[in-house]
Amino acid sequence: GSWYEIDLGAVRNNYRELRWRLPRNVKIYACLKRNGYGCGAAAVAATLAAEGVDGFAVASLLDAISIRRTGIALPVLLYPGASTGAGPVVEALDLTISISSIDELHQWTSVLTKFRAFIKVDLGFCRAGATPSEAGPLLTAAHSSPNVLVEGIYAHMSELPSSRPLDVVDQFARMQTILSNAESGGIRPAIAMMSSTEGVLRHPQMDLDAVDPGALFVGLPETEEPARELTLRPALKSICTTLVTVKRLDASLGPVPDIPGFKPGMTIGVIGMGWGDGLPRTVPSGSEAIIHGRRARLLAPAHLEHLRIDLTDVPEARFGDRVILLGRQGDQHISHEELAAHWGTDLVGLYASLRDHIPRIYI
């Protein structure tokens, strides 16, 4: 089989690192999108709930359901994505909805008798959220609706490429204007937030009432220029699989495949992971795995569920032996950075490649 080893102690460490550096009055909504960045939203949520987190934010209704199934009663904010067809689930699980427009507000009030909501604002990201000019009327409409408990207002800073160094300052100014106008009108929600991982690490002035980082909790800083220095540990400790077969290429197989890395008389193994399990569809040149404490080359091509490995220099390899794609065995170590580079992605992309059908072992 194959499995991921997830270090919940790292999740605890990362939360404590952040909590210690935030003002006590600033709440933490842990963003656990993409099934807790592939580490399992339910297990990560339970770990953070035990540490005293104030709430959660998710992009998927399935992640919200998995969190609620653990018995956690803390607030769960649904980022934009759920449609009104999810109304019964939202109601049954007491989820908090994101609303970006008056049209959305009317649609939700038509299917739910009473619900919690956060107003989502777009400060220049050009994704979901009311524009700064629309935010005031939307807040007013939501505040006057008897169906809606407006508990917060939030935004996400733009990640679009920009040549303007003051863009972050401009976005924060837009948010401050929205909040100031709401305050004057007596409709400012109790919670305002706009700092995800990069924001909370680089821009402490933007803490507001709450922050909603996500990658931070699994050990991904997402910035090389933090104003807050946190000692983060990776939650993903290892990616492991096993040998499903071992064989020597002899003459009975016919000509050796005309593929780089194949040679007569070599010993190959097959591991039980392929591109359907999150590995690259094209095997990167120079990529390796660890078996019996030694590195061995991975061989192209990749298949949906299998991948070959050159075991010529590991003669003791046998069916069922453990193979390490990420992590440590003996004196050898394949780091997150090495694996991400070989897979042609970054650290967040590595976590996003984790598949939900692969079992997780929590340590």
Side-chain angles (χ1 to χ4, degrees):
S2 303
W3 66 97
Y4 306 131
E5 290 185 346
I6 308 296
D7 183 0
L8 293 177
V11 175
R12 282 189 288 271
N13 169 82
N14 300 339
Y15 175 83
R16 291 173 184 177
E17 285 282 308
L18 176 62
R19 182 69 276 175
W20 183 69
R21 287 165 176 81
L22 279 179
R24 288 307 306 175
N25 64 312
V26 176
K27 296 180 182 296
I28 298 175
Y29 278 67
C31 168
L32 301 185
K33 59 188 177 183
R34 231 321 273 143
N35 197 11
Y37 288 82
C39 294
V44 174
T47 301
L48 294 173
E51 288 295 315
V53 75
D54 299 284
F56 301 97
V58 296
S60 162
L61 200 62
L62 290 177
D63 290 342
I65 292 170
S66 70
I67 291 171
R68 281 287 186 253
R69 281 178 175 168
T70 67
I72 292 171
L74 293 168
V76 176
L77 170 64
L78 277 175
Y79 287 154
S83 67
T84 55
V89 177
V90 169
E91 203 163 40
L93 299 184
D94 191 23
L95 305 178
T96 304
I97 300 166
S98 293
I99 295 179
S100 298
S101 70
I102 290 178
D103 178 53
E104 289 178 30
L105 176 67
H106 290 160
Q107 289 196 42
W108 281 109
T109 55
S110 71
V111 298
L112 295 176
T113 55
K114 198 86 169 178
F115 62 94
R116 305 175 193 277
F118 269 48
I119 301 302
K120 176 70 187 291
V121 178
D122 180 4
L123 301 174
F125 205 0
C126 302
R127 291 200 316 187
T131 66
S133 64
E134 297 168 338
L138 175 56
L139 264 173
T140 299
H143 185 75
S144 62
S145 173
N147 299 51
V148 187
L149 300 172
V150 183
E151 298 189 333
I153 181 170
Y154 75 107
H156 287 136
M157 285 191 297
S158 174
E159 297 170 3
L160 295 173
S162 173
S163 59
R164 301 179 60 221
L166 296 180
D167 191 51
V168 170
V169 175
D170 293 344
Q171 291 177 67
F172 187 42
R174 292 178 198 128
M175 187 66 161
Q176 287 178 308
T177 298
I178 292 167
L179 295 177
S180 176
N181 291 339
E183 186 83 49
S184 299
I187 55 172
R188 185 198 190 280
I191 297 174
M193 65 182 181
M194 62 177 293
S195 284
S196 56
T197 293
E198 183 179 6
V200 79
L201 293 181
R202 292 191 64 184
H203 307 290
Q205 73 276 18
M206 297 185 190
D207 287 346
L208 300 176
D209 306 300
V211 296
D212 60 335
L216 181 153
F217 296 116
V218 297
L220 305 177
E222 293 202 317
T223 179
E224 296 178 355
E225 302 173 352
R228 286 180 166 124
E229 293 283 353
L230 274 63
T231 303
L232 302 178
R233 289 165 41 194
L236 176 61
K237 188 176 180 65
S238 65
I239 300 176
C240 307
T241 186
T242 53
L243 287 177
V244 300
T245 194
V246 178
K247 69 178 62 180
R248 184 173 175 272
L249 300 189
D250 61 31
S252 69
L253 288 167
V256 174
D258 185 19
I259 299 173
F262 284 76
K263 55 185 180 291
M266 73 184 298
T267 300
I268 67 165
V270 176
I271 65 173
M273 292 187 84
W275 59 262
D277 304 302
L279 277 62
R281 191 158 186 174
T282 300
V283 179
S285 175
S287 56
E288 298 175 320
I290 305 171
I291 179 168
H292 286 282
R294 294 197 290 282
R295 285 178 174 250
R297 291 181 304 157
L298 299 174
L299 302 172
H303 300 273
L304 184 68
E305 77 289 17
H306 290 141
L307 185 63
R308 297 172 190 84
I309 183 170
D310 183 354
L311 297 176
T312 305
D313 295 329
V314 194
E316 67 271 39
R318 296 291 183 271
F319 165 77
D321 284 352
R322 178 182 296 196
V323 179
I324 306 297
L325 298 175
L326 169 74
R328 184 178 299 279
Q329 189 182 66
D331 295 332
Q332 293 296 323
H333 178 237
I334 296 177
S335 68
H336 290 69
E337 291 77 10
E338 177 185 348
L339 192 63
H342 275 135
W343 287 13
T345 185
D346 56 12
L347 294 181
V348 175
L350 179 62
Y351 278 72
S353 298
L354 301 180
R355 294 291 191 263
D356 292 341
H357 69 273
I358 304 292
R360 298 171 188 81
I361 296 176
Y362 294 101
I363 57 175

